[in-house]
Amino acid sequence: KTGDIVMMTTDGLTDAESIRGARFGKERIQASILENREQNAERMVRFLYDSVEEFIQQEIADDITIMAIKFI
């Protein structure tokens, strides 16, 4: 239905660790989706990827794939 969002990611996103050893996790993914739900799917993916980069503050060690589908 209009406004629904489907997002799929690899475990590289949820398992990404900060320099302190904290994982990015599902809660941060959900928060990013809610904060950016008015954006188009491409921008939602970009904001989520930027969030994980900012969170880990180092080079990404694992592959990360994010796919979003937003029904309009």
Side-chain angles (χ1 to χ4, degrees), residues 8-70:
M8 294 169 269
T9 71
T10 56
D11 65 343
L13 181 64
T14 54
D15 294 344
E17 290 188 2
S18 70
I19 55 177
R20 296 184 184 138
R23 290 191 177 192
F24 193 70
K26 293 178 185 176
E27 294 80 17
R28 287 184 179 85
I29 295 170
Q30 291 170 339
S32 179
I33 292 169
L34 290 174
E35 288 172 17
N36 297 293
R37 66 183 173 263
E38 299 302 321
Q39 303 294 327
N40 65 38
E42 181 180 357
R43 290 183 57 97
M44 290 178 71
V45 168
R46 172 53 48 198
F47 288 138
L48 182 54
Y49 187 81
D50 291 347
S51 293
V52 76
E53 278 192 319
E54 183 179 327
F55 175 78
I56 63 172
Q57 296 182 352
Q58 59 189 343
E59 188 173 323
I60 295 173
D62 195 0
D63 65 306
I64 293 177
T65 302
I66 306 168
M67 183 175 82
I69 301 169
K70 185 171 182 183

